[in-house]
Amino acid sequence: MSVADYLDSMDYGPAPEDDGNARSWLAAHNERFGHFINGRFTEPKAKSFDTIEPATGNILATVALGADADIDAAVAAAAKAQSSWQAIGGKKRARHIYALARMVQRHARLFAVLEALDNGKPIRETRDLDVPLVARHFYHHAGWAELQDTEFSGYQPIGVIGQIIPWNFPLLMLAWKVAPALALGNTVVLKPAESTPLTALLFAELASKAGLPAGVLNVVTGDGSTGSLLVGHDKVGKIAFTGSTDVGRRIRAETAGSGKSLTLELGGKSPFIVFDDADLESAIEGVVDAIWFNQGQVCCAGSRLLVQESIHDRFIERLKQRMTTLRVGHPLDKAIDMGAVIEERQLARIRALVAKGVEEGATAFSPPFEMPEDGYFHPPTLLTGVEPASTVATEEIFGPVMVAMSFRTPDEAVALANNTRYGLAASIWSEQISLALDIAPKLKAGVVWVNATNLFDAGVGFGGYRESGYGREGGREGVFEYLKPKAFAARKPRKPLPPVPEADADASFEPMAIDRTAKLFIGGKQVRPDGNYSLPVISPKGKIIGEVGEGNRKDIRNAVEAARKAEGWGKAATHLRAQILYYLAENLAVREKEFASRLVDMTGARKSEAEKEVAAAIERLFTYAAWADKYDGAVHSPPLRGVALAMNEPVGVAGVVCPPEAPLLGFVSLVAPLVAMGNPVVAVPSERYGLMATDLYQVLETSDVPAGVINIVTGGSEALAKTLIEHADVDAVWAFGSMELSEMAEALSVSNMKRTFVDNGLATDWYDAAQAEGREFLRQAVQIKNIWIPYGE
Ligand code: NAI
C-alpha cells in the first residue's frame, strides 16, 4: 500500500466538543425557563413546551409559552425603559453595546455549544461563524451608537421594537436585530423561534449581568401565537421579522393601517450560476458552502445550481465526488460538515420534496454513507434533470438539497435566475470580471456574491427583492430601519377638506384655453379612458371648470404595462435623468401663471397661495433633478478579502396615490423622487383636483420624458388606488391620503409583497423640505443591492 493509498483509507475519528458548561447552565435553571422580562427571569409557567436536541431527539429544556399577560409585561417593561435608554445618548449606549460584544466573546464557547445542541448545526459553524459574527455585529453597532448624533441627526428612535426570529441562526438573527435596535435608542421585545429559544435566554441573562439596564431587552418565548400577540400589541412601534414568506405576509396584513413600521426578511430560492470559464474547484467548494452549510437551512442558500451546458456534466460528476467526502454527524463532533436538521417535521418536509422532485422526473443523488441512527439527519442531496417550472425548482426546500439545471447563454442564465417569486441572493462564478459585473445588475436579488457565496458582515446590508421581503439589515442601510425622521413625527392628522359643492345646475364651463376632452396620459400619449366616461371638476363655488377622464381597471392595467415597458429608465444614465427633470422644471416654470390660475379656480386658493404652490413644485423638481445623479450607493469594506458595492437600484414600477391637498406640489413631491431614482410611475392624482395633472400632460410631452415613465390615470381615486395596489406587476406603492387609504395600501400589498410608503392619514406640510423631500423619500424610492466582489490581496 502506498502512502497515498494509506492516507486515502484513513477516516476521521470523532472529535467531540465538551458540552459540560452548556449542560451546567441548563441544570442551574433546572432545565425550566420563564421569560426574561425587565432584567430577570419570570417564574417558569404551567403553559410551556419542550425544546428538543435535534441530533438525538432528547428534550433539552422546557420553556414558557408566552401569552397575553407576558407580552403585555414585556412591552410595558420595554416602553418604560425606552425613554431613559434614549436619553442617555448614543455615546453612553455605545459603551453598553460594546460591553455586549465583549460579553459574547467571553462566553463564546458556551454560546457555540448551546447553539449546536439546540439547533443541531455543527459546532465548527457556531464556533467559527455564528458566534464571531454575533460579536462583530455588536462591535459594529456600538460604532453607530457612538456616531448617531452626527450621522443621523435628523432621525430619532422608533420606540419599542417587536422582533420575531427563526430557528436557523437563532443567536445570529438575534444579533442582526437586537444590535441595531438597541444601538439607536430603541428597546426590544424579542420572540425567538419555538425550536431554538435557549441562546436568546442565555444572551438576555448575560447581557443583564453585563450591565444592560432592565427592560431594554426582553425575551418572551413561545410559538406563532405568541408572535402574533407581539405583532398586534399597540405599544409596539415596529415589527422586524425573519421567517417564512407565508408568515411575513400574514404579519403585513395584520399590521396594515396600524402605523407600525415593518421589515420582512423572508424566504428565497437563490441561484448559483456557474459559467464555463469559472474556476471549477472553487465553484465546487462554493456549492458546498451554498447548500450544505447549516444543512441548507439558510434563507439565502444557493439552492438552484445553474451550470453552463458545456461544463454541466463534468461539473456534476465532480460535485458528486465532492459530496461523498462530506461528513454528516453529531453537531458537537468538530470534524463533521453537516449536523442535524431542526426537527422531525422539517425532515419529513424535505424528504417529501425530494420525493416530489423524483416524481417530477428529476434524478436524486446522495452519497452512499451511513447516517446517524438517532436524531433528524438528512444526507446532502443533489437533484439533476430538474425542470425550471417543477416544484423543487420553485419551492424553498430549506434543507440540504440542491437542484441543478443548465443554461446555454448568459441571457438564458439571467432569465432562469430571475424565474422565481423570490429575490434574496445570487452567486455568480466566472473568471471574467466583465461577465460577472454584466450579470450582477440584471439579477433581481438583494445580495449578489461574485465568486463567493454566503458571505455576511455587520457592515454590509442584507435583504431581499420581491417576495423575499423588504428592509435591510446591517450597515448604514440597516440602521435607518430602526429610526424615523424627526420631521415626520411633527405631522398631524389630516383635516378633512370641505365637501365638494353640488355643481351649479345652470353652470356652463368657465372659459379655459385648453382642450376640454378628458384624457389620460399613458405610454407618453394622451388617450381616451377605456370606458369613455368623464368626471366634472367642480370649483368651490360650484362651477364646473373642466372634465377629467374617468379611468377604470383597464386603464390602470394599460398604464402599468406602459410603465413596465419603460423600465429602461432605471438603467438610463443618472445624468440623463437629471437633465430631463431640469427640463421638466423649466417647462413648468414657463407656464407658472397658467398653473397658478388653474389652482385658484380649482381650490379657491388666493392668487399668492397658488403662486407659492407652483413655485414650490418647480423648486422641488429642481431639487430632485439635482439628486438624480447624487443619491448613489456606497462601498462597504467587510473584514474579508473583498468589498461590497451597495448599489441603489430602482424598486421597479411604482404606483402613486396622490394626497388630496396641494394638487400640484403633492403630485410632484411623490412622483419626482421616484422618477429621479429610475422608477417608472403610474400616478392617480387627487380626485377633486384631477385637472392639475391633466394640465401637466403638455408639460411632460415637451420635456423629453420618455414614453411610459410617467403615466397618469385620473378618476375615482379610491377604486383606481385599489386596482393599482392589487396589481401583481406593481413593485411599490406610495399612498398619501386618509388612514383608510394607508390601511388599504398595506393590506393589499401582500399579493406580491410590494414596498409601501404611506402617511397613515397624517398631513405632510408639503412646503417644509424636512417633511416633504430629501433623503427619506429617496431611500423609499430605491432598494439596495449589495454586490460582493473580490478585491485586494
Ligand atoms: P415561521 O415563519 O413559521 O417561523 C418564524 C418565526 O415566526 C418563529 O419565531 C415563529 O414562532 C414565528 N411565527 C409563526 N407564526 C407567526 C405569526 N402568525 N405571527 C407572528 N409570528 C409567527 O417558519 P417555520 O415554520 O419555522 O419554518 C417554515 C418554513 O419557513 C421553512 O421550511 C422555510 O422554508 C421557511 N423559513 C425561512 C426562514 C428564513 O430565514 N427566510 C427561516 C425559517 C424558516
Side-chain angles (χ1 to χ4, degrees):
M1 207 184 207
S2 71
V3 174
D5 290 340
Y6 187 69
L7 286 174
D8 276 349
S9 72
M10 281 169 68
D11 202 358
Y12 290 89
E17 173 74 32
D18 180 10
D19 62 359
N21 282 353
R23 301 267 177 204
S24 312
W25 179 75
L26 292 169
H29 290 273
N30 299 320
E31 282 95 13
R32 282 187 74 79
F33 292 86
H35 309 294
F36 197 88
I37 296 175
N38 208 21
R40 60 179 195 83
F41 276 109
T42 63
E43 285 302 311
K45 305 274 169 168
K47 272 202 156 180
S48 58
F49 60 98
D50 297 330
T51 177
I52 307 285
E53 189 182 344
T56 60
N58 297 336
I59 295 173
L60 265 177
T62 303
V63 295
L65 179 71
D68 246 339
D70 305 308
I71 292 290
D72 275 349
V75 173
K80 185 154 171 276
Q82 199 271 326
S83 46
S84 47
W85 181 243
Q86 179 175 350
I88 62 171
K91 304 231 177 253
K92 282 221 172 89
R93 274 200 306 280
R95 298 293 167 276
H96 280 290
I97 307 298
Y98 193 81
L100 295 180
R102 299 296 292 263
M103 176 277 280
V104 170
Q105 285 184 319
R106 269 201 314 281
H107 299 282
R109 195 49 68 98
L110 174 58
F111 277 117
V113 174
L114 189 64
E115 189 82 320
L117 285 176
D118 203 14
N119 171 280
K121 60 170 72 189
I123 181 80
R124 221 159 44 89
E125 288 177 12
T126 59
R127 184 194 61 197
D128 298 346
L129 250 146
D130 298 56
V131 176
L133 256 179
V134 169
R136 160 94 182 122
H137 265 80
F138 284 97
Y139 281 127
H140 179 80
H141 286 94
W144 284 127
E146 186 75 35
L147 302 175
Q148 183 171 2
D149 287 351
T150 47
E151 287 298 298
F152 303 101
S153 57
Y155 288 80
Q156 66 189 49
I158 292 172
V160 177
I161 314 286
Q163 303 185 324
I164 300 173
I165 56 174
W167 42 260
N168 53 345
F169 293 93
L171 189 63
L172 186 57
M173 287 301 109
L174 173 152
W176 279 29
K177 294 206 163 25
V178 168
L182 298 193
L184 281 305
N186 305 279
T187 54
V188 164
V189 177
L190 175 93
K191 200 216 61 80
E194 47 271 52
S195 38
T196 53
L198 295 177
T199 44
L201 292 170
L202 173 65
F203 183 92
E205 183 186 46
L206 293 177
S208 184
K209 287 189 181 153
L212 193 68
V216 167
L217 171 63
N218 307 277
V219 176
V220 178
T221 51
D223 60 10
S225 67
T226 314
S228 188
L229 290 169
L230 182 56
V231 168
H233 201 292
D234 60 2
K235 291 222 166 55
V236 169
K238 174 193 172 93
I239 294 291
F241 172 79
T242 298
S244 60
T245 296
D246 285 349
V247 174
R249 198 170 256 132
R250 200 174 317 161
I251 291 176
R252 168 70 291 175
E254 278 170 19
T255 52
S258 67
K260 289 188 178 92
S261 46
L262 181 65
T263 44
L264 297 174
E265 205 270 273
L266 309 175
K269 190 76 185 175
S270 300
F272 186 102
I273 311 167
V274 186
F275 287 99
D276 60 5
D277 65 349
D279 172 345
L280 293 192
E281 284 310 307
S282 302
I284 294 282
E285 287 312 305
V287 174
V288 173
D289 289 339
I291 192 69
W292 295 308
F293 164 58
N294 201 18
Q295 297 69 248
Q297 302 167 133
V298 183
C299 50
C300 54
S303 52
R304 286 185 298 144
L305 174 61
L306 311 178
V307 187
Q308 197 150 20
E309 200 175 72
S310 50
I311 56 161
H312 176 268
D313 294 353
R314 192 154 48 100
F315 191 83
I316 295 293
E317 254 341 282
R318 179 69 196 92
L319 181 58
K320 287 180 179 169
Q321 276 170 23
R322 176 67 179 92
M323 287 169 75
T324 59
T325 64
L326 291 171
R327 306 189 76 243
V328 181
H330 195 284
L332 289 188
D333 182 344
K334 284 175 275 197
I336 60 129
D337 299 298
M338 278 174 56
V341 302
I342 189 71
E343 59 190 2
E344 201 161 13
R345 189 173 54 121
Q346 192 68 13
L347 181 61
R349 186 172 175 270
I350 299 166
R351 284 180 177 151
L353 278 163
V354 172
K356 177 85 182 160
V358 173
E359 198 184 302
E360 289 176 329
T363 307
F365 170 81
S366 293
F369 45 56
E370 279 185 21
M371 300 288 293
E373 277 174 15
D374 299 326
Y376 316 126
F377 291 90
H378 195 283
T381 303
L382 175 68
L383 291 172
T384 48
V386 170
E387 289 297 325
S390 64
T391 311
V392 286
T394 51
E395 287 270 314
E396 185 177 40
I397 299 177
F398 225 65
V401 183
M402 182 62 122
V403 301
M405 286 164 270
S406 65
F407 65 87
R408 289 196 194 102
T409 61
D411 282 349
E412 217 177 289
V414 170
L416 265 180
N418 289 337
N419 183 23
T420 167
R421 61 194 174 107
Y422 296 115
L424 195 48
S427 292
I428 305 170
W429 294 78
S430 166
E431 288 299 289
Q432 263 189 77
I433 187 153
S434 51
L435 175 62
L437 296 184
D438 174 48
I439 300 296
K442 295 177 180 157
L443 297 176
K444 302 273 186 220
V447 184
V448 176
W449 295 290
V450 174
N451 291 332
T453 195
N454 277 341
L455 300 179
F456 312 101
D457 182 53
V460 183
F462 182 91
Y465 281 25
R466 299 173 162 177
E467 292 185 36
S468 290
Y470 34 75
R472 293 291 177 265
E473 299 190 291
R476 177 184 276 273
E477 53 257 52
V479 167
F480 283 110
E481 308 287 351
Y482 287 100
L483 294 171
K484 58 183 176 193
K486 283 180 185 160
F488 280 18
R491 296 183 306 190
K492 298 274 179 309
R494 175 176 276 111
K495 289 200 198 81
L497 292 173
V500 181
E502 289 289 313
D504 181 343
D506 308 325
S508 58
F509 288 123
E510 288 202 339
M512 290 294 293
I514 59 154
D515 172 12
R516 275 198 217 108
T517 324
K519 301 248 178 79
L520 313 175
F521 193 71
I522 297 177
K525 293 199 199 75
Q526 299 195 31
V527 295
R528 284 185 193 285
D530 169 64
N532 257 323
Y533 285 108
S534 57
L535 285 177
V537 175
I538 300 164
S539 78
K541 291 188 188 126
K543 290 249 181 305
I544 297 177
I545 51 173
E547 284 185 336
V548 293
E550 188 175 5
N552 64 15
R553 301 175 75 84
K554 178 106 192 311
D555 297 307
I556 290 282
R557 283 204 292 270
N558 291 342
V560 171
E561 205 174 298
R564 181 61 67 194
K565 283 199 192 124
E567 254 190 319
W569 178 244
K571 297 184 192 99
T574 51
H575 172 75
L576 177 74
R577 299 208 292 255
Q579 292 308 304
I580 289 176
L581 281 165
Y582 278 126
Y583 199 20
L584 199 53
E586 281 168 5
N587 284 333
L588 183 57
V590 169
R591 300 177 58 178
E592 206 166 354
K593 285 207 171 61
E594 193 185 306
F595 271 82
S597 99
R598 174 68 98 189
L599 279 175
V600 170
D601 289 344
M602 268 195 320
T603 66
R606 284 198 304 272
K607 187 162 169 264
S608 60
E609 286 169 12
E611 283 170 356
K612 187 177 156 207
E613 179 169 346
V614 182
I618 294 165
E619 196 52 54
R620 192 133 296 155
L621 283 168
F622 276 121
T623 303
Y624 284 113
W627 269 119
D629 63 352
K630 291 172 193 66
Y631 190 72
D632 46 17
V635 181
H636 297 306
S637 310
L640 296 160
R641 192 185 72 88
V643 293
L645 312 178
M647 308 289 292
N648 287 337
E649 293 196 340
V651 185
V653 171
V656 172
V657 185
C658 297
E661 70 278 352
L664 179 64
L665 183 57
F667 179 100
V668 167
S669 300
L670 297 182
V671 170
L674 283 161
V675 168
M677 292 298 103
N679 305 277
V681 165
V682 176
V684 175
S686 88
E687 183 171 338
R688 70 165 77 185
Y689 305 135
L691 275 182
M692 181 50 49
T694 62
D695 290 351
L696 271 175
Y697 298 169
Q698 288 150 30
V699 181
L700 294 172
E701 281 168 340
T702 50
S703 304
D704 294 347
V705 178
V709 169
I710 299 178
N711 306 277
I712 302 173
V713 181
T714 52
S717 48
E718 202 178 313
L720 293 176
K722 183 163 183 288
T723 309
L724 189 55
I725 298 162
E726 278 175 333
H727 199 297
D729 206 27
V730 171
D731 303 297
V733 166
W734 291 17
F736 281 53
S738 64
M739 188 67 229
E740 292 72 31
L741 175 67
S742 296
E743 182 169 353
M744 176 167 81
E746 291 183 335
L748 298 183
S749 68
V750 297
S751 58
N752 59 338
M753 302 305 275
K754 292 176 181 69
R755 282 267 301 273
T756 53
F757 183 26
V758 300
D759 65 1
N760 295 306
L762 301 173
T764 302
D765 176 356
W766 297 106
Y767 294 95
D768 175 5
Q771 273 185 41
E773 74 174 33
R775 285 182 179 274
E776 187 57 23
F777 285 76
L778 293 160
R779 201 175 75 77
Q780 296 285 348
V782 299
Q783 51 189 349
I784 300 178
K785 174 186 277 178
N786 271 282
I787 306 169
W788 293 68
I789 53 174
Y791 186 82
E793 289 178 54

